[in-house]
C-alpha cells in the first residue's frame, strides 16, 4: 500500500512537472482563464445598458415631448438619429445605425386627451431576435412609467388588478449573476478536458508509453497519477474564476465554500474521467484533441450555460443527463446564489459520482486493452 | 505501399529542374504532390472527419431542434387562498396558456418547498381577501419566480402578466368596462426581419460561424505543430519544397472540408429549418470563404508559432472558438459591453462574419455593411497569412 502510494506520488510529481515546466504552458493555463472571466463576465449578458434609437416624431406636441423626456431620462436609451419620414426607418435599422425606432403617430397627443389612448409603434432589429425583444420590453417599461405618471397628474383610473413580482436570489434580475458563477465550472472544464486527453496520448506519440509500461506502476496507478494533476489544475482554475466573481464583479456568495469545493471536486473528477477515456482510446495527440472537441461542443451547448435546458425538447433533455457540466453549473449556481445545502444539491452530485465511477475504470480498461 | 513522405521525396528527386523553380513563388508539381499528401493524411485519420463533418451535423441537429430561447410548458404552482369564482376566473389564463403547466399545492409553504427543489418555476399567490379587494378596485396578485436565470425569469413575468391580462380583456369585452381603463399610451412592437420571433433565425447564421471557426482554426492549429513535434517538418526542409508550398498545401484540403460543412449548414438552414435567405447566396458563399481563409490561417499561425500540439489546441480554443461564441455578437449583444470589451470584439473577424451572415440571411444585400465586412475579413486573412509565412521559414528552431 505504502509502495503504491509512493509510486503514485512520484508519477503525480512527474506529470505536474511535464505540464508546468514549460513557461508557455503555465501562461496558457493561467492567463486565458483570467481574461475570459473578465471578458465574458462583461459580454455575456442579455441586459442592455445602452440602446441606440432613432425617433420619428410625427406629432411634435407637448405630450410627445413629455413622453420622449421619459425615454431619454431612463438612462438606457440614447438617441442617435432624428427621422423625418417613415421611409427612413428601413435604412436606419438595416444599416445597424440603431437598434430601435420609436414612432410617435401624428395624433399622439389628441388620442391621449380623448381618452382612447395613443399607440406607439416600436420597430426593432430582429437579426438577433433576443436582443430585439429585450429592447422592446424596455420601451414597454418606459410606457408603463409614463402611464402611471399620466394617471397621477390627470386623475385617470388606476387599474383594479396589479401584479406584484418578486424574484428570489437575484431581485434585480441581472443576467451577469447567472452567467459568471456558471463560468466557474465551464471555463475550467474546457482546458482541463483537453489537458487530460493529451496526457496518455502524449506518451503514446512520444514513445514513452512503452517505458511507462515496463515500470512497476500498475495501470490503475498510472491512471490515478494522470488524473490527480489535472484535478488539481482544474480546481485551481475554478478558484481563480470564483475569486474574480466575488471580488471583481462583487456577486455575493451565499453558500458554503466547503460544499462548493466538494461539488467542484466531484465535477472535475468526472470531467477528468472523460478526458482519460479519450486519452486512453486515442492513438495520437491530434486524435485526443479532436475527440475532446467533438465532446466539448455539445457539452457546452447542452449545459444550460446559454440556453435554458427546460426549453429543449424532451429527447434532448435526456441527453443532458449524461453531461457533467449540466450538473456542475446547476450546483455552482445554487450554492453560490441560493446558498443551497447538501440536501438540495444531492440530486446534482450523485450523477457526477456516477459519471466518474463509469469513466475512470473504463479508462483503466482501455489503457490495458489498447496497446497500439 | 507508398507513404505520403515517400511521395514527397520522389517528387523532389529531379532536384536540378526544381532548383530553378525553388525561388519562384510555388512549383505547381511540388504543390500538387504536397496537397495529395495532406489530403490523404486528412482523410485517413477519422478524428479529422469527426470534427470536420460529423460535428457540424451534430451541431446542426442541436441548433435546429434543441436550442431555443422559446419558453413553453413552465411548471407553475397556483396557491389560491381565495376560492371564490372571481379568483378562479382571474386565474383561468394560466390553465389555458400553453406556456404553463399548473400544479395546485395546498399552502404557500408547500409551494415554496417545491420551488426550492426546482419542481416548479413560479408561484402565483392569490390572497384570502382577493375578491373583496378587487371589488374595491385595489387587488393584487403575487407572482414569485426564481431569479437565478434572470433572462428566463423576465420572460416568465411577461407571460404571467399576459395570462392575468386576459381576464381584464374578457371583462372589458363583456361590457364591464369599468374593469379596464384605457392606458394613455400603449405599445405596438414590430420585430423586423423576424416578425414571428423565431430564434432559429439568428441561431442558424451563428451556427455557420461556429462550424467555420471549428474546421478552420482547430483542425489546422494541429497540422504544423504535429510536424514540428514529430520532426517531419525538418525532413521537409531538406527537400526543395518552399514555405509557400507548405502553407498552401496545408490550407487547401481543410478549405475543402470547411466548404463541405458550409454547404451542409446552408442546406439544413434553408430546407430543414426554413430560415429565409433574403440576400444573395453567392455573397454568403464569398463572405464565408473569406472567413474560412481567416480562420484557417489563424490556425496555421498558432500552429507554426507554438510548435506544440498542446499549446496549439489550447490557444485555438482560447483565441478562436470561445471568442466566436461569446464575443462576436452571435448570442450576446455588443451594445452594452464596456468599451474595452467592445474594442476587442471589433478586432475579432468573427464579429464581422456574424454581422454579414445575419444581414445576408435576414435582411438582404445591404451593400454598405457587406462591403465593410468583406474588406475587414480580407484584410485579416492577408495579415494572418503574412504572419504565418514569417513563422514558417525553413529554419530550425
Amino acid at each position: 500500500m505504502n509502495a503504491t502510494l509512493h509510486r503514485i506520488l512520484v508519477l503525480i510529481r512527474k506529470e505536474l512537472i511535464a505540464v508546468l515546466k514549460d513557461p508557455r504552458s503555465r501562461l496558457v493555463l493561467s492567463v486565458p482563464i483570467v481574461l475570459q472571466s473578465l471578458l465574458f463576465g462583461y459580454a455575456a449578458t442579455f441586459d442592455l445598458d445602452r440602446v441606440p434609437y432613432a425617433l420619428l416624431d410625427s406629432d411634435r406636441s407637448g405630450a410627445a415631448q413629455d413622453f420622449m423626456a421619459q425615454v431619454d431620462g431612463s438612462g438606457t436609451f440614447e438617441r442617435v438619429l432624428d427621422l423625418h419620414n417613415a421611409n427612413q426607418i428601413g435604412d436606419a435599422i438595416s444599416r445597424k445605425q440603431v437598434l430601435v425606432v420609436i414612432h410617435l403617430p401624428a395624433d399622439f397627443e389628441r388620442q391621449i386627451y380623448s381618452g382612447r389612448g395613443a399607440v406607439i409603434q416600436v420597430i426593432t432589429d430582429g437579426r438577433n431576435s433576443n436582443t430585439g425583444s429585450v429592447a422592446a420590453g424596455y420601451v414597454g417599461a418606459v410606457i408603463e412609467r409614463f402611464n402611471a405618471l399620466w394617471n397621477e397628474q390627470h386623475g385617470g383610473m388606476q387599474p383594479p388588478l396589479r401584479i406584484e413580482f418578486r424574484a428570489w436570489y437575484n431581485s434585480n434580475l441581472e443576467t451577469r449573476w447567472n452567467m459568471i458563477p456558471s463560468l466557474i465550472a465551464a471555463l475550467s472544464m474546457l482546458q482541463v478536458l483537453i489537458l487530460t486527453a493529451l496526457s496518455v496520448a502524449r506518451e503514446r506519440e512520444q514513445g514513452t508509453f512503452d517505458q511507462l509500461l515496463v515500470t512497476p506502476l500498475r495501470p490503475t496507478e498510472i491512471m490515478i497519477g494522470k488524473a490527480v494533476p489535472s484535478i488539481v489544475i482544474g480546481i485551481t482554475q475554478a478558484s481563480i474564476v470564483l475569486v474574480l466573481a466575488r471580488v471583481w464583479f462583487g456577486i455575493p456568495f451565499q453558500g458554503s465554500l466547503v460544499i462548493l469545493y466538494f461539488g467542484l471536486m466531484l465535477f472535475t473528477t468526472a470531467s477528468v474521467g472523460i478526458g482519460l477515456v479519450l486519452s486512453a482510446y486515442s492513438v495520437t495527440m491530434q486524435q485526443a484533441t479532436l475527440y475532446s472537441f467533438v465532446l466539448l461542443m455539445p457539452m457546452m451547448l447542452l449545459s444550460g450555460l446559454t440556453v435554458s435546458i427546460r426549453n429543449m425538447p424532451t429527447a434532448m433533455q435526456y441527453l443532458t443527463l449524461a453531461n457533467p457540466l449540466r450538473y456542475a453549473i446547476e450546483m455552482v449556481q445554487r450554492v453560490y446564489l441560493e446558498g443551497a445545502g447538501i440536501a438540495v444539491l444531492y440530486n446534482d452530485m450523485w450523477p457526477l459520482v456516477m459519471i466518474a465511477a463509469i469513466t475512470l475504470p473504463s479508462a483503466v480498461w482501455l489503457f490495458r486493452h489498447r496497446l497500439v | 505501399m507508398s507513404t505520403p513522405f515517400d511521395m514527397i521525396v520522389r517528387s523532389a528527386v529531379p532536384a536540378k529542374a526544381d532548383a530553378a523553380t525553388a525561388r519562384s513563388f510555388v512549383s505547381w508539381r511540388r504543390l500538387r504532390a504536397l496537397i495529395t499528401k495532406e489530403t490523404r493524411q486528412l482523410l485517413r485519420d477519422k478524428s479529422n472527419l469527426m470534427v470536420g463533418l460529423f460535428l457540424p451535423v451534430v451541431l446542426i441537429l442541436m441548433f435546429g431542434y434543441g436550442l431555443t430561447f422559446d419558453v413553453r410548458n413552465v411548471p407553475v404552482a397556483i396557491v389560491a387562498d381565495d376560492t371564490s369564482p372571481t379568483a378562479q376566473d382571474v386565474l383561468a389564463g394560466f390553465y389555458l396558456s400553453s406556456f404553463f403547466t399548473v400544479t395546485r399545492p395546498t399552502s404557500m409553504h408547500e409551494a415554496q418547498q417545491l420551488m426550492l427543489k426546482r419542481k416548479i418555476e413560479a408561484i402565483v399567490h392569490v390572497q384570502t381577501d382577493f375578491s373583496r379587494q378587487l371589488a374595491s378596485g385595489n387587488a393584487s396578485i403575487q407572482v414569485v419566480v426564481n431569479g437565478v436565470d434572470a433572462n428566463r425569469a423576465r420572460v416568465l413575468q411577461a407571460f404571467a402578466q399576459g395570462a392575468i391580462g386576459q381576464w381584464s380583456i374578457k371583462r372589458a369585452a363583456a361590457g364591464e368596462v369599468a374593469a379596464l381603463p384605457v392606458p394613455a399610451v400603449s405599445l405596438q412592437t414590430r420585430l423586423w426581419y423576424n416578425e414571428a420571433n423565431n430564434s432559429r433565425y439568428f441561431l442558424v447564421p451563428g451556427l455557420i460561424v461556429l462550424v467555420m471557426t471549428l474546421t478552420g482554426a482547430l483542425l489546422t492549429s494541429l497540422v504544423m505543430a504535429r510536424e514540428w513535434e514529430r520532426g517531419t517538418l525538418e525532413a521537409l526542409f531538406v527537400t526543395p519544397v518552399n514555405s509557400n508550398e507548405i502553407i498552401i498545401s496545408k490550407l487547401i484540403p481543410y478549405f475543402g472540408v470547411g466548404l463541405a460543412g458550409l454547404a451542409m449548414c446552408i442546406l439544413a438552414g434553408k430546407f430543414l429549418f426554413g430560415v429565409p435567405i433574403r440576400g444573395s447566396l453567392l455573397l454568403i458563399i464569398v463572405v464565408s470563404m473569406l472567413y474560412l481563409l481567416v480562420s484557417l490561417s489563424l490556425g496555421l499561425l498558432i500552429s507554426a508559432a507554438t510548435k506544440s500540439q498542446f499549446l496549439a489546441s489550447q490557444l485555438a480554443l482560447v483565441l478562436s472558438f470561445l471568442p466566436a461564441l461569446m464575443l462576436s455578437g452571435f448570442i450576446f449583444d455588443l451594445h452594452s459591453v464596456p468599451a474595452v470589451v467592445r474594442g476587442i470584439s471589433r478586432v475579432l473577424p468573427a464579429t464581422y462574419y456574424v454581422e454579414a451572415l445575419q444581414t445576408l440571411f435576414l435582411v438582404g444585400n445591404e451593400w454598405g455593411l457587406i462591403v465593410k465586412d468583406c474588406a475587414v475579413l480580407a484584410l485579416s486573412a492577408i495579415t494572418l497569412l503574412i504572419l504565418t509565412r514569417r513563422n514558417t521559414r525553413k529554419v530550425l528552431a
Side-chain angles (χ1 to χ4, degrees):
Chain A
M1 190 59 215
N2 224 338
T4 305
L5 194 66
H6 176 71
R7 287 197 296 266
I8 292 176
L9 283 176
V10 169
L11 188 60
I12 291 174
R13 197 178 116 90
K14 174 242 160 196
E15 286 294 320
L16 278 174
I17 292 175
V19 176
L20 298 177
K21 71 155 196 280
D22 182 354
R24 296 188 303 169
S25 299
R26 294 201 293 271
L27 275 182
V28 93
L29 287 173
S30 56
V31 174
I33 195 107
V34 175
L35 288 180
Q36 285 171 21
S37 312
L38 295 178
L39 285 177
F40 300 165
Y42 283 116
T45 167
F46 293 111
D47 310 331
L48 300 173
D49 302 329
R50 196 183 79 88
V51 179
Y53 80 96
L55 171 66
L56 174 58
D57 183 356
S58 310
D59 195 31
R60 300 189 176 279
S61 60
Q65 266 177 19
D66 287 348
F67 179 75
M68 290 321 295
Q70 279 288 324
V71 173
D72 292 326
S74 70
T76 316
F77 291 92
E78 184 187 324
R79 194 187 307 179
V80 293
L81 264 184
D82 273 303
L83 306 181
H84 305 290
N85 61 62
N87 297 330
Q88 296 171 314
I89 298 177
D91 278 350
I93 297 237
S94 71
R95 288 186 186 154
K96 284 205 158 181
Q97 289 169 306
V98 296
L99 187 61
V100 173
V101 173
I102 299 180
H103 181 195
L104 303 182
D107 54 359
F108 182 75
E109 190 174 56
R110 203 149 39 82
Q111 291 286 5
I112 295 182
Y113 279 110
S114 73
R116 283 188 294 272
V119 178
I120 292 177
Q121 228 191 19
V122 168
I123 297 138
T124 56
D125 185 349
R127 263 172 279 201
N128 185 334
S129 49
N130 209 33
T131 311
S133 310
V134 171
Y138 283 12
V139 182
V142 171
I143 290 180
E144 244 167 68
R145 276 202 300 279
F146 177 80
N147 285 344
L149 208 70
W150 179 272
N151 283 342
E152 222 171 80
Q153 288 166 355
H154 297 82
M157 245 197 304
Q158 296 294 333
L161 181 54
R162 282 172 298 111
I163 305 175
E164 280 172 29
F165 281 117
R166 263 197 309 155
W168 284 1
Y169 312 121
N170 179 6
S171 49
N172 293 328
L173 292 183
E174 290 187 48
T175 18
R176 196 162 287 152
W177 282 32
N178 168 42
M179 193 60 70
I180 295 175
S182 315
L183 291 178
I184 296 176
L187 285 182
S188 60
M189 185 192 73
L190 282 172
Q191 287 195 302
V192 165
L193 197 81
I194 298 182
L195 178 76
T196 320
L198 286 176
S199 63
V200 180
R202 183 190 287 122
E203 307 250 10
R204 279 221 172 91
E205 183 161 322
Q206 298 180 346
T208 49
F209 184 69
D210 294 342
Q211 293 171 16
L212 207 58
L213 286 181
V214 296
T215 60
L217 287 158
R218 293 189 203 96
T220 316
E221 293 167 10
I222 294 180
M223 280 308 168
I224 296 175
K226 298 260 172 203
V228 172
S230 297
I231 295 174
V232 171
I233 291 173
I235 300 264
T236 313
Q237 288 199 328
S239 309
I240 296 176
V241 187
L242 174 66
V243 169
L244 287 171
R246 183 67 201 84
V247 176
W248 183 276
F249 289 104
I251 304 171
F253 184 78
Q254 306 287 0
S256 132
L257 275 179
V258 177
I259 296 179
L260 181 70
Y261 272 89
F262 177 67
L264 282 176
M265 192 82 138
L266 294 180
F267 165 62
T268 319
T269 312
S271 356
V272 165
I274 295 176
L276 280 178
V277 169
L278 290 176
S279 199
Y281 178 80
S282 307
V283 183
T284 59
M285 292 170 76
Q286 182 190 4
Q287 283 186 356
T289 316
L290 295 183
Y291 286 140
S292 6
F293 252 86
V294 172
L295 275 187
L296 275 174
M297 290 282 298
M299 277 163 85
M300 285 282 282
L301 292 169
L302 295 180
S303 66
L305 181 67
T306 47
V307 177
S308 182
I309 290 175
R310 295 218 198 225
N311 292 354
M312 297 171 190
T314 323
M316 206 158 280
Q317 290 198 20
Y318 282 122
L319 216 57
T320 66
L321 295 180
N323 182 359
L325 188 57
R326 174 224 157 115
Y327 303 105
I329 286 183
E330 193 171 285
M331 191 261 315
V332 174
Q333 283 184 350
R334 304 198 67 179
V335 177
Y336 196 115
L337 298 171
E338 302 178 11
I342 288 278
V344 183
L345 295 173
Y346 173 75
N347 280 329
D348 290 322
M349 288 182 169
W350 71 260
L352 291 173
V353 176
M354 290 287 291
I355 294 172
I358 293 171
T359 51
L360 289 170
S362 311
V364 175
W365 187 88
L366 273 172
F367 184 81
R368 225 181 268 170
H369 290 81
R370 231 181 118 86
L371 291 177
V372 272
Chain B
M1 199 191 103
S2 81
T3 65
F5 186 62
D6 285 342
M7 256 177 47
I8 299 162
V9 174
R10 246 186 285 124
S11 73
V13 166
K16 267 181 201 159
D18 273 345
T21 55
R23 277 201 203 94
S24 68
F25 186 67
V26 288
S27 138
W28 295 112
R29 206 164 54 84
R30 287 195 304 257
L31 189 60
R32 218 174 33 238
L34 277 174
I35 292 174
T36 316
K37 172 245 173 191
E38 291 292 338
T39 312
R40 286 196 186 158
Q41 215 171 4
L42 174 117
L43 293 178
R44 274 187 199 158
D45 192 334
K46 273 174 298 175
S47 64
N48 276 320
L49 298 179
M50 285 278 274
V51 168
L53 299 176
F54 172 73
L55 189 56
V57 173
V58 171
L59 291 180
I60 287 171
L61 294 178
M62 276 176 40
F63 272 72
Y65 295 112
L67 302 180
T68 160
F69 289 100
D70 312 332
V71 177
R72 64 194 171 86
N73 284 336
V74 179
V76 53
I78 291 185
V79 183
D81 292 340
D82 179 350
T83 51
S84 68
T86 322
Q88 295 299 327
D89 217 26
V90 172
L91 293 172
F94 285 96
Y95 292 94
L96 297 173
S97 161
S98 63
F99 296 123
F100 299 107
T101 36
V102 177
T103 50
R104 298 285 309 248
T106 47
S107 69
M108 198 58 190
H109 175 76
E110 195 184 324
Q112 282 168 350
Q113 287 306 312
L114 286 173
M115 185 98 144
L116 279 176
K117 289 186 192 137
R118 294 212 167 173
K119 300 273 187 221
I120 55 166
E121 291 190 57
I123 305 174
V124 179
H125 186 201
V126 178
Q127 274 138 333
T128 10
D129 55 352
F130 174 75
S131 21
R132 203 164 42 79
Q133 296 274 358
L134 189 64
S136 71
N138 185 27
S140 70
I141 292 181
Q142 241 185 27
V143 175
V144 183
V145 295
N146 185 331
V148 169
D149 188 344
N151 202 39
R152 190 174 175 83
R154 216 172 263 137
V155 174
L156 292 189
Q157 288 190 345
F159 283 159
Q161 194 125 41
I164 293 168
Q166 278 172 9
W167 173 80
S168 312
I169 296 169
K170 232 168 49 192
R171 288 277 300 256
E176 303 161 63
V177 186
L180 190 70
V182 181
V185 177
S186 54
L187 175 67
Q188 187 193 24
T189 319
R190 293 192 51 201
L191 197 58
W192 269 16
Y193 317 122
N194 186 359
E195 300 277 353
N197 198 352
N198 182 342
S199 49
R200 276 181 190 167
Y201 278 26
F202 81 92
L203 286 177
V204 166
L207 162 75
I208 299 180
V209 177
L210 286 191
V211 168
M212 295 290 100
T213 309
L214 268 183
T215 27
L218 185 67
L219 289 180
T220 47
S221 74
L222 296 173
V223 292
M224 210 79 107
R226 185 183 51 205
E227 299 231 26
W228 274 112
E229 281 193 350
R230 292 184 177 170
T232 48
L233 208 62
E234 292 172 23
L236 259 185
F237 283 174
V238 299
T239 67
V241 169
N242 69 29
S243 308
N244 292 333
E245 290 158 7
I246 296 179
I247 293 174
I248 295 172
S249 67
K250 287 188 188 298
L251 284 178
I252 285 180
Y254 293 96
F255 198 75
V257 175
L259 288 186
L262 176 70
M264 285 194 296
C265 291
I266 294 180
L267 289 175
K270 175 99 181 106
F271 296 108
L272 232 46
F273 310 132
V275 176
I277 300 181
R278 298 193 178 122
S280 128
L281 182 62
L282 187 69
L283 273 179
I284 293 183
I285 295 173
V286 168
V287 80
S288 299
M289 284 175 147
L290 281 174
Y291 181 73
L292 195 54
L293 205 57
V294 170
S295 165
L296 288 167
S297 32
L298 177 66
L300 271 188
L301 175 62
I302 291 174
S303 200
T306 55
K307 300 186 174 69
S308 136
Q309 294 184 71
F310 166 67
L311 288 172
S313 57
Q314 296 281 2
L315 277 182
L317 179 75
V318 166
L319 291 181
S320 71
F321 171 64
L322 284 177
L325 179 69
M326 307 289 279
L327 299 178
S328 65
F330 153 39
I331 293 181
F332 303 107
D333 190 78
L334 298 172
H335 283 109
S336 306
V337 297
V340 183
V341 183
R342 196 158 49 238
I344 291 172
S345 78
R346 289 234 174 97
V347 180
L348 287 179
T351 309
Y352 299 90
Y353 186 42
V354 167
E355 181 176 275
L357 275 189
Q358 284 183 342
T359 305
L360 284 170
F361 269 95
L362 300 180
V363 179
N365 298 338
E366 181 60 52
W367 288 103
L369 281 184
I370 304 299
V371 169
K372 180 195 77 181
D373 295 335
C374 286
V376 173
L377 290 177
L379 208 67
S380 324
I382 293 169
T383 316
L384 287 168
L385 281 173
I386 291 174
L387 287 174
T388 313
R389 176 71 181 74
R390 292 181 56 168
N391 272 284
T392 329
R393 292 227 188 90
K394 289 173 75 170
V395 190
L396 290 181

